[in-house]
Amino acid sequence: MKIAEAPQHRLGYLQARPGDVVGRDDLFIVDVRHEDELTDDFGHIHGVTHVPADRVMRDGLPVPEDTPIVVVCQNGRTSQTCATRLVQDHGFKEVYHLVGGMLRWTAEERPIARTPTWTKLDLDSPGA
């Protein structure tokens, strides 16, 4: 389900703001930071899926290509690269880059978790 206000970047991904994402359960939110960053001062979005950036860029994600995906990192730079790769190299149709990452999310005082609530996607397991 598209985020109505999200403009499309020239590289093919869409640009979402924290207010576009918070409270939505129809988006597959992927945090691409190192696992230890998910419990630091910026925390993580409750219930995200954790996949390190290098794995996302190399392997894509084991979900259907029409899945609405939001990619988040600390400041938005790495997630922007991952979003570009998901669209251009892996054929995903609806990929959102969370502009400003967790820095913006926390600056806007959106809810975070500092204890593990994420799902770790194991791309090495059979069927993944």
Side-chain angles (χ1 to χ4, degrees), residues 35-66:
E35 189 170 326
D36 60 339
E37 293 178 283
L38 301 178
T39 55
D40 70 6
D41 291 341
F42 296 104
H44 61 278
I45 299 169
H46 182 82
V48 296
T49 298
H50 175 250
V51 184
D54 62 331
R55 299 300 300 268
V56 171
M57 289 189 271
R58 185 183 68 226
D59 302 330
L61 295 168
V63 297
E65 291 176 355
D66 60 348

Side-chain angles (χ1 to χ4, degrees), residues 2-119:
K2 286 213 182 262
I3 296 173
E5 314 296 311
Q8 186 165 16
H9 189 275
R10 64 179 174 78
L11 296 175
Y13 61 83
L14 298 151
Q15 299 175 81
R17 299 172 307 248
D20 299 328
V21 174
V22 70
R24 301 239 345 217
D25 60 2
D26 59 335
L27 303 169
F28 184 64
I29 303 175
V30 179
D31 195 313
V32 297
R33 296 176 293 162
H34 294 284
E35 189 170 326
D36 60 339
E37 293 178 283
L38 301 178
T39 55
D40 70 6
D41 291 341
F42 296 104
H44 61 278
I45 299 169
H46 182 82
V48 296
T49 298
H50 175 250
V51 184
D54 62 331
R55 299 300 300 268
V56 171
M57 289 189 271
R58 185 183 68 226
D59 302 330
L61 295 168
V63 297
E65 291 176 355
D66 60 348
T67 302
I69 299 166
V70 177
V71 187
V72 62
C73 68
Q74 192 79 353
N75 59 26
R77 288 187 205 105
T78 303
S79 59
Q80 183 178 30
T81 302
C82 288
T84 301
R85 296 287 290 273
L86 286 170
V87 170
Q88 293 183 357
D89 298 349
H90 300 288
F92 286 90
K93 311 293 183 221
E94 190 177 347
V95 179
Y96 299 91
H97 156 247
L98 187 64
V99 177
M102 290 304 294
L103 286 168
R104 181 171 178 178
W105 185 276
T106 56
E108 292 185 12
E109 299 181 357
R110 305 294 178 178
I112 63 167
R114 288 195 180 101
T115 57
T117 68
W118 66 84
T119 300

